Amino acid sequence: MLPLCSLPKKASSFLHSLSLSLSAMEETQIASILKSSELYPIPQSVKLSYGTAGFRADASLLESTVYRVGILSSLRSLKLKSSTVGLMITASHNKVSDNGVKVSDPSGGMLSQEWEPFADQIANASSPRELVSLIKDFVEREEIAIEKGGEVWLGRDTRPSGERLLRAAEIGVRSVLGSVAVDVGVLTTPQLHWMVRAKNKGLNATESDYFENLVTSFKCLIDLIPINKLEISTLVLDGANGVGGQKMEVLRGYLSNLDVEIRNTGRDGGVLNEGVGADFVQKEKVVPLGFGSEDVGMRCASFDGDADRLVYFYIPSESCGDKVELLDGDKILSLFALFIKEQLNIIGDEGKQCRLGVVQTAYANGASTDYVKEMGLEVVFAKTGVKHLHERAEEFDVGIYFEANGHGTILFSESFLSWLVGKQKDYSEGSDKHNAVSRLVAVSNLINQAVGDALSGLLLVEVILQHMGWSVQKWNELYMDLPSRQVKVEVPDRTAVVTTSEETEALKPLGIQDAINAEIKKYQHGRAFIRPSGTEDVVRVYAEASTQEDADSLANSVAQLVKSFLGSS
Ligand code: 16G
Ligand code: MG
């Protein structure tokens, strides 16, 4: 607790006037925040927004932001009856000199969107006084009782700036009096979300518990594979020189039935996300560094920097240069959907009553959407960003969501899970129906229910391929992607683009959608849309058509339209 007398005179008189007019926060609490915020002045001319996935910026600019998100996390914990909240320091697939911070709600999901405006306000408060004043108002409005003390678990990825930023987060958390900051170390983002969820459910919630859960459920699925189909070949993993490859090294030690060679662990001089990782491979469709002609035909996978994205690829024998055949989030989703549907079919009429649905974004390749629809599944579209997909997937008994970029998971509703567990007792052990039900229960344990997780996603892909007796090439044949192209356009103000909720049509600037539609009409199987990025100062353009040449040309003409409507910067 900070004594009032240790404050500078000016601050102390401000404090006095503030506490006279507003009574919800104690003087000592106000003093605590005023004092600690003096340590973290906001850099000049920085305007931050919580965005699609938390705050991100050059790491040198972020101490004050992380400190303030520490305060927010304590308040969030207090608001939710002192449940544990997670704070993750990562900038995912962004360059190593960047960093970022985001909050995991006690459910293990993303911070409630209702709190994002408050996050933006405090991150941009220009002085300690403004900060305190905003917090005071918010605490009153949300009726947060500070006296109990909150709990925040702090995780970080392998970025060199992570440790320094974590110290700022700790000070932020503890400046809310009575709140506790627990440093849970270097983790992948999904590990932290999983641990927070487990902790609040009263389950074992350490990192070893996370690994143990993966190992047990993976083994259970392996044991349920019809023996004659078993096939194990080496998987080559690109760890993006980040935390995911390092965690996979640990996990690999506990697993049998998985042969994985890990490259780009960050220990061999490679730079985080530089020419490596899921974002690079998915966007560029070329091999990551450390892979080459010697890997032709091998099953390969890439994680992103914080291991919440997963894509697969292989180098075809006829590959010219460094091109890969990509199996993106849509293909992973299709594989998962197929496997789950197969289990439900085995269960029979009762299984068919399960509402199995798929959530995609406008970026999903049209061929994948057709494929899952032909399987008889319901498909819904959500806005880009995990929080939006997750919310929609919760509407189903089993909701599978994926972004094309490789972020996704499978959600099982509580009621469907208890139904499954009940059926495990009803059916005789060793019967087909019993096996199918047991597989679904094991999938629900293996796959991260909090958020998309490259480690658990990889294990599920691997076990399904073994179950089917499929090579990566065979899996790729589920459907053929329509050629597509993504480009980005730098504009003076990306917020001038306003889209419909599914992001398939632009409502503003007026007239641009008609112009885009006119372009689309010129191409067979043409589809295109624009949206403002949530993470970069650009407008993104996506185009699809029946040939690569057409997709490129459509993307370029739409990009030209963006420039002519918005001007280029
Ligand atoms: C963030 C999102 C990702 C989304 C991407 C879009 C999370 C955890 N991550 O990385 O889901 O696809 O932003 O970026 O939500 P953009 O808005 O710049 O296109
Ligand atoms: Mg990521």
Side-chain angles (χ1 to χ4, degrees):
M1 201 177 292
L2 292 161
L4 203 52
C5 56
S6 68
L7 285 171
K9 207 169 158 209
K10 237 166 78 188
S12 145
S13 73
F14 162 71
L15 165 66
H16 196 63
S17 62
L18 200 60
S19 60
L20 280 180
S21 59
L22 300 161
S23 56
M25 263 166 62
E26 295 292 334
E27 281 190 6
T28 45
Q29 176 57 75
I30 294 169
S32 165
I33 296 177
L34 273 180
K35 171 100 178 156
S36 55
S37 63
E38 303 278 1
L39 300 171
Y40 296 110
I42 187 165
Q44 295 277 303
S45 73
V46 178
K47 176 101 173 81
L48 292 163
S49 153
Y50 196 80
T52 330
F55 294 110
R56 277 184 205 168
D58 189 280
S60 64
L61 301 172
L62 273 179
E63 262 182 318
S64 70
T65 316
V66 174
Y67 155 79
R68 290 161 187 216
V69 174
I71 298 178
L72 176 144
S73 305
S74 288
L75 297 178
R76 185 75 188 144
S77 168
L78 289 168
K79 170 78 186 179
L80 300 171
K81 303 191 173 56
S82 297
S83 311
T84 300
V85 163
L87 182 154
M88 183 71 198
I89 296 172
T90 177
S92 183
H93 53 280
N94 292 38
K95 57 183 190 283
V96 66
S97 51
D98 283 355
N99 215 328
V101 57
K102 60 181 170 183
V103 176
S104 159
D105 253 357
S107 63
M110 303 291 168
L111 173 69
S112 162
Q113 288 172 56
E114 284 167 20
W115 276 47
E116 287 181 14
F118 175 59
D120 289 347
Q121 282 173 351
I122 59 170
N124 294 303
S126 57
S127 66
R129 289 170 182 219
E130 191 189 341
L131 177 67
V132 169
S133 177
L134 286 166
I135 293 172
K136 218 167 174 322
D137 287 351
F138 188 73
V139 163
E140 284 188 352
R141 201 167 62 241
E142 291 286 324
E143 298 177 351
I144 297 170
I146 295 211
E147 59 274 8
K148 281 194 223 101
E151 180 166 314
V152 183
W153 285 13
L154 311 175
R156 63 186 168 93
D157 69 14
T158 49
R159 283 161 204 274
S161 55
E163 204 167 344
R164 181 175 50 84
L165 292 175
L166 194 123
R167 299 282 90 87
E170 277 176 339
I171 293 186
V173 170
R174 290 181 191 141
S175 70
V176 176
L177 299 176
S179 287
V180 184
V182 182
D183 177 356
V184 282
V186 172
L187 295 173
T188 71
T189 298
Q191 279 185 312
L192 180 70
H193 283 263
W194 186 94
M195 287 161 62
V196 165
R197 179 175 187 267
K199 168 75 171 33
N200 290 307
K201 278 178 159 272
L203 304 169
N204 296 335
T206 63
E207 189 184 11
S208 332
D209 297 318
Y210 168 89
F211 284 131
E212 196 183 320
N213 178 65
L214 291 187
V215 172
T216 316
S217 41
F218 180 73
K219 180 169 182 322
C220 178
L221 282 161
I222 290 283
D223 290 346
L224 286 163
I225 293 178
I227 295 298
N228 56 359
K229 290 186 183 171
L230 206 66
E231 180 204 308
I232 305 169
S233 59
T234 306
L235 165 73
V236 193
L237 175 67
D238 155 29
N241 293 318
V243 63
Q246 296 182 10
K247 297 297 177 186
M248 194 65 198
E249 284 181 329
V250 179
L251 184 59
R252 177 174 62 176
Y254 301 115
L255 293 168
S256 47
N257 286 78
L258 183 72
D259 179 16
V260 49
E261 180 191 333
I262 307 168
R263 300 186 193 159
N264 300 333
T265 58
R267 275 194 290 275
D268 36 20
V271 181
L272 177 71
N273 299 330
E274 215 173 274
V276 294
D279 191 62
F280 172 79
V281 174
Q282 190 245 345
K283 296 247 163 66
E284 308 294 329
K285 296 198 179 84
V286 297
V287 289
L289 294 173
F291 288 66
S293 53
E294 68 284 4
D295 303 310
V296 165
M298 298 283 287
R299 189 172 73 264
C300 305
S302 268
F303 288 172
D304 75 334
D306 63 337
D308 63 358
R309 290 191 195 179
L310 167 71
V311 296
Y312 272 72
F313 66 92
Y314 65 89
I315 307 171
S317 49
E318 69 281 8
S319 169
C320 35
D322 50 5
K323 291 267 174 275
V324 298
E325 196 55 46
L326 177 74
L327 292 90
D328 61 3
D330 302 336
K331 242 231 175 121
I332 297 174
L333 175 145
S334 303
L335 183 72
F336 289 177
L338 185 73
F339 181 74
I340 288 176
K341 181 84 175 144
E342 184 185 292
Q343 307 318 310
L344 292 172
N345 286 345
I346 296 173
I347 299 171
D349 287 346
E350 284 181 306
K352 286 183 190 138
Q353 282 167 28
C354 160
R355 241 188 108 208
L356 171 61
V358 157
V359 187
Q360 298 189 304
T361 69
Y363 287 109
N365 195 280
S368 76
T369 311
D370 291 346
Y371 177 77
V372 283
K373 279 188 178 160
E374 275 160 26
M375 227 191 280
L377 303 194
E378 208 175 314
V379 183
V380 296
F381 284 88
K383 209 169 135 87
T384 299
V386 172
K387 57 194 173 196
H388 304 296
L389 288 105
H390 193 96
E391 199 172 275
R392 296 301 308 269
E394 283 175 329
E395 292 166 14
F396 295 98
D397 291 324
V398 181
I400 312 176
Y401 73 82
F402 261 90
E403 293 189 307
N405 62 26
H407 193 128
T409 192
I410 311 173
L411 303 183
F412 288 76
S413 72
E414 290 290 342
S415 60
F416 184 66
L417 262 182
S418 25
W419 182 83
L420 283 175
V421 172
K423 286 290 156 192
Q424 257 181 323
K425 294 188 192 113
D426 290 356
Y427 300 139
S428 58
E429 209 160 330
S431 68
D432 288 350
K433 287 190 180 192
H434 190 274
N435 286 348
V437 164
S438 303
R439 284 188 197 107
L440 291 174
V441 173
V443 170
S444 78
N445 289 326
L446 174 60
I447 201 81
N448 195 325
Q449 298 285 291
V451 75
D453 180 342
L455 283 161
S456 73
L458 179 142
L459 294 188
L460 186 55
V461 168
E462 290 299 308
V463 81
I464 296 177
L465 291 181
Q466 289 188 33
H467 177 98
M468 305 282 195
W470 282 0
S471 64
V472 66
Q473 289 80 3
K474 172 88 180 142
W475 167 26
N476 197 33
E477 284 166 13
L478 282 183
Y479 60 84
M480 269 238 318
D481 275 323
L482 276 168
S484 66
R485 176 66 60 208
Q486 282 191 54
V487 290
K488 53 185 183 183
V489 187
E490 285 180 16
V491 293
D493 177 16
R494 74 188 198 273
T495 63
V497 175
V498 178
T499 69
T500 53
S501 59
E502 293 173 359
E503 299 180 320
T504 43
E505 304 224 331
L507 301 170
K508 282 186 187 167
L510 291 176
I512 197 165
Q513 189 59 49
D514 291 338
I516 294 173
N517 291 344
E519 284 304 319
I520 293 173
K521 269 199 195 133
K522 297 179 189 164
Y523 300 89
Q524 208 192 355
H525 289 121
R527 183 169 77 89
F529 65 88
I530 58 169
R531 56 174 282 279
S533 159
T535 62
E536 271 183 81
D537 212 3
V538 296
V539 170
R540 298 203 192 281
V541 175
Y542 177 89
E544 221 172 71
S546 52
T547 66
Q548 190 60 56
E549 211 183 355
D550 281 0
D552 292 351
S553 150
L554 179 56
N556 285 333
S557 25
V558 174
Q560 285 309 323
L561 287 173
V562 171
K563 282 181 198 153
S564 65
F565 274 77
L566 280 98
S568 40
S569 60

